[in-house]
Amino acid sequence: SHSPQITGTLVFTVFTAVLGSFQFGYDIGVINAPQQIIITHYRHVLDVPLADRKALSSDAMATTEEMPRTPNLMNSTPTPLPEEEPEEELVEESGLITMLWSLSVSSFAIGGMIASFFGGWLGDQLGRIKAMLIANILSLAGALLMGFSKMGPSHILIISGRAVSGLYCGLISGLVPMYIGEIAPTTLRGAIGALHQLAIVTGILISQIVGLDFILGNRELWHILLGLSAVPAVLQSLLLFFCPESPRYLFIKLDEENKAKKSLKRLRGGVDVTKDIAEMRKERSEASSEQKVSIIQLFTNSSYRQPILVSLMLHMAQQFSGINGIFYYSTSIFQTAGLSQPVYATIGVGAINTVFTALSVFLVEKAGRRSLFLIGMSGMFVCAIFMSVGLVLLDKFAWMSYVSMVAIFLFVSFFEIGPGPIPWFMVAEFFSQGPRPAALAMAAFSNWTCNFIVALCFPYIAELCGPFVFFLFAGVLLAFTLFTYFKVPETKGKSFEEIAAEFQKRGGSARPRKAATEMKFLGAAETA
């Protein structure tokens, strides 16, 4: 039974599920390209043209006597201009535009943070398929708000559209890893789990390409660019009707053994499913004894504490690794290196992103999760140091910009080999059916929160530390590498039970004696 069971239904189902992840990636990347155009549009909507306003006011001051009613070019209604237009107002209004722009970017992350809490819960209430269908309503609503943003008060429509899309992506970041982790055969769990990240980076890449100014990233079509995620949303909604529900959900949560068998047979083809059903039955009897696990129990119950802390650390490692910083810096580094079209180099980074995530899909069942994560982290650590050195010595040696450029490409490759895809599905592997939804919600929430913190603080830290900012990331990477080495078990090809046993071993391996007494004490406390 070691030959991977790839069936048409499995391929179709996984493809449908990761269309959600694709939208997630598209929404992450889409806002970067049209930044200047949208800002200009906001100015236009809010009547804050920068240079004209100054020219107009100085004009008005010169000619107030002759023509008391200079029609303001922006408002069709002529208004008498004041004797002197204060400069502060201008500054204030450009501050307002900046604030609206940063809201347009960050409302997405806020939506994601809020919704990530509810992904697992929604999947348990409605089933994985219906939950993804309901989530698509949000995706569609967000896409429409942004797609029609030119017609109304665009800043309000874009900010709310981004927030609603963020809600969708937050739900998806729990639902998709959960669903594809539950339908995958054990031998393919990692490869299929890594497809979530592959779809995300593909979405980012497509959004970068479609956002080129001669395609959709221009004055006429930017609203279509923003609303384009409606297409995969509609496609996914249609395809979901033909997808089998997660057999684990059917059997363990709903106790529908026959439905679970049917679903499994569809997913596995002609293969005998008794072994799968037996494993689920065992898991179900455990689940019925442990019942639904709340988020608080994840931290208080000794058997979950270790895996949930490791899960959170993996997601923090993914976001605090400096990958966002690299993307933030890349364009300016490519400019310094003298590339006339830095946007193509950025797309090159996106392409490398995609290629190496695809490579990870193939490696993760061969090399194992833990080793790939370690290779990725230590590789990024070295790249971060080179990146810093390159940036620090940029003024001394012109060729250092190429060192930084190579560091960017390598950093991204190492990221997508391990830290990019692995946290998403490893968390699904760490937990059995009972605590899985709560754990995935918690993990997704920590991912979004860390992402938000980095996005918020990075510009300030970068300004403060300048080129030394990547030394900071190097330190963080080193810490996470050591943590992974000592605390993260290998989950490749293991059943959920064996993984739980691994954690027990790892949790107590450092101080077996103390751990044993602790366990006795805990046992006493729990029976009391």
Side-chain angles (χ1 to χ4, degrees):
S1 70
H2 258 288
S3 60
Q5 308 133 343
I6 301 177
T7 59
T9 311
L10 184 67
V11 172
F12 172 82
T13 306
V14 170
F15 171 78
T16 303
V18 298
L19 275 173
S21 324
F22 175 82
Q23 290 178 63
F24 182 3
Y26 186 87
D27 288 338
I28 291 172
V30 75
I31 199 77
N32 296 325
Q35 177 173 358
Q36 278 341 104
I37 292 162
I38 295 176
I39 288 179
T40 313
H41 185 74
Y42 282 178
R43 279 212 188 98
H44 172 70
V45 171
L46 294 165
D47 290 351
V48 193
L50 274 190
D52 317 349
R53 192 69 177 259
K54 283 184 191 158
L56 197 71
S57 56
S58 58
D59 249 25
M61 277 158 23
T63 57
T64 316
E65 282 73 51
E66 300 97 346
M67 29 185 305
R69 291 168 67 84
T70 317
N72 183 344
L73 302 181
M74 298 320 123
N75 299 338
S76 45
T77 51
T79 42
L81 269 167
E83 300 294 275
E84 202 157 358
E85 191 150 328
E87 279 290 282
E88 286 93 78
E89 199 180 314
L90 246 165
V91 175
E92 235 167 72
E93 277 173 326
S94 68
L96 173 75
I97 302 276
T98 310
M99 189 189 83
L100 288 174
W101 169 254
S102 62
L103 267 175
S104 309
V105 176
S106 59
S107 60
F108 175 73
I110 296 166
M113 278 162 68
I114 295 167
S116 59
F117 256 133
F118 299 103
W121 173 80
L122 196 67
D124 260 2
Q125 293 311 101
L126 305 171
R128 308 337 186 198
I129 300 284
K130 278 203 195 90
M132 286 193 275
L133 269 170
I134 297 288
N136 267 319
I137 297 173
L138 292 169
S139 177
L140 215 55
L144 289 173
L145 280 167
M146 293 188 284
F148 289 111
S149 58
K150 258 190 166 169
M151 297 180 182
S154 40
H155 51 292
I156 297 170
L157 290 175
I158 288 177
I159 291 167
S160 50
R162 289 280 295 169
V164 174
S165 296
L167 288 172
Y168 167 76
C169 293
L171 290 175
I172 278 302
S173 56
L175 281 170
V176 172
M178 179 158 73
Y179 179 62
I180 60 180
E182 287 175 356
I183 61 173
T186 307
T187 47
L188 289 171
R189 221 172 36 214
I192 287 176
L195 292 173
H196 170 65
Q197 178 80 3
L198 181 60
I200 292 178
V201 295
T202 310
I204 294 176
L205 179 61
I206 299 288
S207 76
Q208 288 175 331
I209 294 170
V210 188
L212 286 168
D213 53 7
F214 62 85
I215 304 179
L216 292 179
N218 51 45
R219 207 155 269 176
E220 290 74 48
L221 298 173
W222 60 266
H223 57 293
I224 305 214
L225 173 74
L226 294 185
L228 209 59
S229 52
V231 178
V234 171
L235 179 63
Q236 188 187 33
S237 302
L238 294 173
L239 297 181
L240 277 169
F241 285 105
F242 303 99
C243 290
E245 182 50 88
S246 151
R248 298 195 106 80
Y249 170 76
L250 289 170
F251 191 7
I252 299 169
K253 182 89 178 111
L254 299 188
D255 201 7
E256 301 262 12
E257 183 170 347
N258 289 334
K259 281 191 187 167
K261 268 191 187 138
K262 254 192 215 130
S263 168
L264 255 181
K265 287 208 172 94
R266 280 181 65 190
L267 287 164
R268 301 281 184 270
V271 181
D272 183 27
V273 296
T274 31
K275 191 169 163 255
D276 289 89
I277 289 281
E279 192 187 317
M280 278 186 232
R281 186 171 289 120
K282 194 165 190 183
E283 214 176 302
R284 195 182 142 265
S285 62
E286 279 169 25
S288 60
S289 66
E290 69 190 2
Q291 277 318 309
K292 178 107 181 60
V293 177
S294 70
I295 288 187
I296 295 148
Q297 280 168 296
L298 283 178
F299 293 97
T300 53
N301 183 328
S302 58
S303 57
Y304 304 140
R305 194 180 302 126
Q306 189 78 22
I308 193 67
L309 290 176
V310 172
S311 304
L312 296 185
M313 290 297 273
L314 287 176
H315 277 282
M316 285 164 67
Q318 188 199 61
Q319 289 300 329
F320 290 146
S321 63
I323 190 75
N324 298 7
I326 290 273
F327 283 131
Y328 181 92
Y329 255 106
S330 60
T331 310
S332 63
I333 285 168
F334 295 141
Q335 276 165 335
T336 320
L339 296 180
S340 55
Q341 289 280 353
V343 60
Y344 290 110
T346 307
I347 288 178
V349 174
I352 285 205
N353 224 346
T354 311
V355 169
F356 276 89
T357 312
L359 185 66
S360 170
V361 171
F362 292 104
L363 287 177
V364 75
E365 293 301 350
K366 297 267 181 296
R369 286 71 154 138
R370 184 171 176 267
S371 39
L372 282 184
F373 203 88
L374 283 169
I375 291 167
M377 286 304 243
S378 28
M380 287 159 79
F381 169 69
V382 175
C383 291
I385 290 178
F386 272 106
M387 180 89 183
S388 267
V389 170
L391 285 173
V392 171
L393 298 178
L394 200 56
D395 309 335
K396 298 237 170 45
F397 311 102
W399 53 267
M400 274 297 176
S401 61
Y402 295 104
V403 173
S404 296
M405 244 170 89
V406 172
I408 288 176
F409 283 108
L410 285 174
F411 191 95
V412 170
S413 323
F414 278 118
F415 177 77
E416 292 304 355
I417 279 259
I422 287 172
W424 289 115
F425 67 86
M426 250 185 124
V427 178
E429 293 186 319
F430 285 166
F431 293 93
S432 60
Q433 200 71 19
R436 189 180 298 123
L440 273 161
M442 213 42 239
F445 176 71
S446 84
N447 191 291
W448 280 97
T449 310
C450 298
N451 187 340
F452 185 62
I453 293 170
V454 171
L456 219 58
C457 306
F458 183 79
Y460 297 106
I461 300 173
E463 218 167 290
L464 197 72
C465 316
F468 293 98
V469 67
F470 288 100
F471 278 126
L472 188 70
F473 282 123
V476 173
L477 283 162
L478 186 62
F480 281 124
T481 308
L482 292 170
F483 176 84
T484 308
Y485 184 76
F486 289 112
K487 287 289 182 198
V488 179
E490 181 54 74
T491 53
K492 180 183 78 163
K494 293 197 170 96
S495 73
F496 292 111
E497 233 184 317
E498 294 165 327
I499 294 168
E502 266 299 304
F503 268 112
Q504 295 294 331
K505 203 175 76 192
R506 265 183 195 274
S509 57
R511 295 180 297 280
R513 241 182 246 123
K514 179 172 178 277
T517 50
E518 223 170 74
M519 285 304 288
K520 253 186 223 149
F521 170 73
L522 275 172
E526 269 164 25
T527 47

